Amino acid sequence: MSERYVLDLREVAETQVAVVGGKGGHLGGLSRIEGIRVPDGFCVTTDAFRRIMAEVPSIDDQLDQLSRVNPDDREAIRTLSARIRRTIEGIAIPGDLRGAITRALGRHGEQAAYAVRSSATAEDLPTASFAGQQDTYLNVVGPTAILQHISRCWASLFTERAVTYRRRGGIDHRTVHMAVVVQRMVFPDAAGILFTADPVTGNRKVATVDAGFGLGEALVSGLVNPDVFTVRHGEIVARTIAAKQRAVHALPDGGTREAAIDARRQEQPALTDAQVVRLVELGRRIEAHFGRPQDIEWCLVDDDFQIVQSRPITTLFPIPESGDQENHVYLSVGHQQMMTDPMKPLGISVWQLTAMAPMHEAGGRLFVDATRRLASPANRAALLDVVGRGDPLIRDALETVLERDDFVPSLPDAGPGGPPARGASAPIETDPAIVTGLIERSRTSIAALERDIRTKTGPALFDFLREAFEEHKRVLTDPLSMQAIMAGMEATWWLNDTLREWLGEKNAADTLTLSAPDNVTSEMGLALLDVADVIRPHPEVVAFLRGVESIEDDAFLDELAKVAGGAEARDAIESYLDRYGMRCVGEIDITRPRWRERPTTLVPVILDNVRNFEPGAAGRRFEQGRQKAREKERDVLSRLRALPDGDRKADEAKRMIDRVRTFIGYREYPKYGIISRYFVYKRALLAEAERLVEAGVLPEQEDIFYLTFQELHDVVRSHQVDDRLIQRRKDAFRSYHALTPPRVLTSDGEAVTGAYRRDDAPAGALIGLPVSAGTIEGRARVILDMGEADLEAGDILVTAFTDPSWSPLFVGIAGLVTEVGGLMTHGAVIAREYGLPAVVGVERATRLIRDGQRIRVHGTDGYVEILP
């Protein structure tokens, strides 16, 4: 017989998840750690489960039905899963399998009490815990009862919650199998949970212990509040002792019951301080063995701890690898680049190879190490000033870290790595020709890249790209380009700060920068209005676009040309894509599909523009903005001249207004240049991937997205690829979507969340950062995917973040609210360009504001009111 239906826990290796499930594998690993006591027992393997499933009539048909059900159709899932559970529980356990289980019981004590616990092959994994998805039965006595509860555990693979969890996680029901752990029952004095890292902040140096009397079920089920102990460096640093009125105890004949706790014991700690510290030491030993923070279930019996379960804490954000034991403070790149979604490995490595500063990866996101800058007092002040203007939450989080004794050491001001103090960049003339020259220089460089890359293939392509990346960084760090960007930003800051002081006016620069010249991102939004003008007169084209969901992207433009007026519409869209087709949502990740690759992404926005605007809207919008800016300039200057020393003040303000209008539009151009280059790189790499597919090295082109640039180079050179590596990367990438990247992360693993220190908003208002002045009321449209846009005039866009690809939506909305953003990020710049009241950095805005609610956006003061 090749199948092995029963394994003793001490025989089990933690790598045998496919045989004993996640829980069984962890318990096997735990039983091998010196000094860790695990209750004896055995595992009924997945071979037994497969044997039973083979006996289930029509199981394939039932699983097919289940896989077709919508994950949100709870009634259908409830009905189908209940039917499968009843069928499994009704199958008689075959004699050889029953014999293997009863022999194991004989070895461990046939009439002893046991815990019978589900152990699925997709649970307690590093990327998904599946906690609570399958069932556990305590204090089961006698072979008949144990066999019955093993059947129930098999069936629990198909509880409604387990089925829904797998469907939402994209996991095929057929790929998950159920093992069952049968362990000697422990009758504890106290029990609970130990987290070897703080589950709320993520701090890996802090452990928390939850403890109560009796069995741990009282805590897990929420029957009682636990005692909570916080331990750091072997010392209890905080404790909360709860009034524990009830406990769960085992009954002599099997099962459990709730019981009241004697009044004199209720407020006594369930553990002594010495026991808490000893338990955490055991937890650290377990954590070291498994190599990551653990969520551990423990029991205390006669002053001796027994460990009944350990699983990874999957909700913690990973820590960037530093290669040393020093303290580090990391800043999120995604919050600056308006892309907090995870990136694929190729996207991460290309960004790292083309970025101006070293970048560290964790959880599919990028971070910069700010420790050296924070260590130098002068550099620290400059960094706090710059990030504080951009995102006060980051500044507040950094100040929280700096307040802690000795976390960031102090270095002399001469220490390397600091940014120049604000305003220290060399001044340049207020000359529009500077911007024109910079744009032309960038275009020439990109044209040369496109020309020279055409003949490069194989390893030579990668050598060429390494050189192209150096040119990319040279263009990006061009001192004149940096000066032009800083000139626009500093002029904005000067106008806002100084006009507030002189005139008492908030955010005056917001109006003064309306329709500023040379802003490639705002031009992109207006240009799509011109595309709508071409399409609007052709009803057949509009009808075609409304039904476009069923058409593949590569056929879309050809099919469009076949309808009346379609050739003209296609030419307009093609022309738009020639200029802006390299853009897309999440564009800093080279692996994301570009508009040129997926032009149907633009269709909902084009249809909104056709419906909501009149012909010629683009030109009118731009001219209206320019007129408002001119009127604002005249108003500001006349009011300044009326002040004491007014002529000097007016002259200074006029110089800064000219300066901001000359340079602020260029702020968007370097990103456009980066993304233009990225599309050139991507097309060359995808052509290389196609050759690998044709050679049988890769199954599909997009597998290259799960390799780093260097790994892809190696594959092209060797024509060999590690399929398991690609699969692991795909699984990890999927798991990263469940993680929320912090703005600030320490090397202790602590996600430091800042706060707005303000008291100027009404009660109940959602606080954020004011980035574009004005107040607007309207219907909130909560949109997380630009392709699902369906906007009416007057709507307010509420979303997680906006990068430049969202700007075509901005022409059709009345206001903007985002969860991520700062004063100079793209959404803020374009909101000001278009005169949209905007508040960014509103924590959890997409969850606190419901789609369709009426809201009021206070863009000048930085808060949002939800209206009745």
Side-chain angles (χ1 to χ4, degrees), residues 16 160 200 238 317 340 393 422 538 618 642 686 745 833 850:
Q16 291 179 281
E160 181 188 345
V200 177
F317 200 87
T340 55
L393 293 176
R422 190 178 132 232
H538 302 292
L686 281 174
L745 180 67
E833 280 274 317
R850 290 198 313 275

Side-chain angles (χ1 to χ4, degrees), residues 628-644:
K628 280 185 187 171
R630 282 180 182 159
E631 288 165 17
K632 186 67 175 177
E633 179 181 333
R634 285 195 291 269
D635 171 59
V636 163
L637 296 180
S638 68
R639 286 158 61 200
L640 287 174
R641 288 193 185 99
L643 298 175

Side-chain angles (χ1 to χ4, degrees), residues 550-562:
S550 59
I551 297 174
E552 294 292 322
D553 277 284
D554 54 6
F556 162 60
L557 291 169
D558 291 338
E559 292 297 316
L560 172 61
K562 295 175 184 175

Side-chain angles (χ1 to χ4, degrees), residues 652-844:
E652 276 191 59
K654 172 62 175 162
R655 274 198 304 276
M656 284 299 178
I657 292 169
D658 290 347
R659 196 165 177 79
V660 82
R661 290 196 66 78
T662 298
F663 291 116
I664 200 64
Y666 179 71
R667 165 77 179 78
E668 292 291 297
Y669 200 85
K671 183 76 170 283
Y672 176 77
I674 291 170
I675 303 308
S676 297
R677 288 174 179 279
Y678 267 25
F679 196 34
V680 179
Y681 307 152
K682 181 180 186 179
R683 282 185 291 194
L685 291 171
L686 281 174
E688 206 57 48
E690 186 56 37
R691 286 188 276 275
L692 291 171
V693 171
E694 287 168 3
V697 178
L698 287 175
E700 51 190 67
Q701 257 188 318
E702 294 192 354
D703 282 350
I704 68 166
F705 296 162
Y706 297 93
L707 299 170
T708 66
F709 182 81
Q710 182 58 51
E711 288 166 349
L712 178 54
H713 188 181
D714 293 341
V715 170
V716 167
R717 202 168 41 226
S718 68
H719 266 219
Q720 291 183 312
V721 69
D722 182 348
D723 295 329
R724 289 169 304 175
L725 173 68
I726 289 175
Q727 189 54 53
R728 282 199 306 274
R729 295 268 178 82
K730 287 179 177 179
D731 292 342
F733 177 71
R734 194 162 45 238
S735 75
Y736 293 153
H737 283 277
L739 299 173
T740 301
R743 284 175 165 83
V744 174
L745 180 67
T746 74
S747 49
D748 285 352
E750 183 177 3
V752 189
T753 53
Y756 292 108
R757 310 291 176 182
R758 288 170 42 191
D759 55 9
D760 57 346
L766 308 181
I767 307 293
L769 182 65
V771 295
S772 185
T775 302
I776 192 72
E777 245 179 64
R779 179 180 69 153
R781 291 309 320 275
V782 180
I783 298 173
L784 300 177
D785 179 348
M786 183 180 151
E788 294 172 2
D790 181 15
L791 297 163
E792 300 287 347
D795 283 350
I796 296 168
L797 174 62
V798 180
T799 190
F801 56 80
T802 63
D803 59 13
S805 71
W806 286 73
S807 59
L809 287 185
F810 284 24
V811 298
I813 58 176
L816 174 70
V817 179
T818 68
E819 294 180 342
V820 176
L823 193 63
M824 284 296 169
T825 49
H826 305 279
V829 171
I830 305 307
R832 290 193 290 273
E833 280 274 317
Y834 289 164
L836 302 174
V839 180
V840 302
V842 181
E843 294 278 80
R844 300 173 59 236

Side-chain angles (χ1 to χ4, degrees), residues 90-107:
I91 296 293
I93 298 177
D96 56 340
L97 174 50
R98 177 185 291 267
I101 294 169
T102 53
R103 283 193 298 276
L105 283 170
R107 289 193 298 273

Side-chain angles (χ1 to χ4, degrees), residues 31 43 113 145 203 243 377 391 442 460 500 617 625 641 660 711 747:
S31 66
C43 203
N203 194 325
D391 186 338
S442 175
R500 185 165 190 172
R641 288 193 185 99
V660 82
E711 288 166 349
S747 49

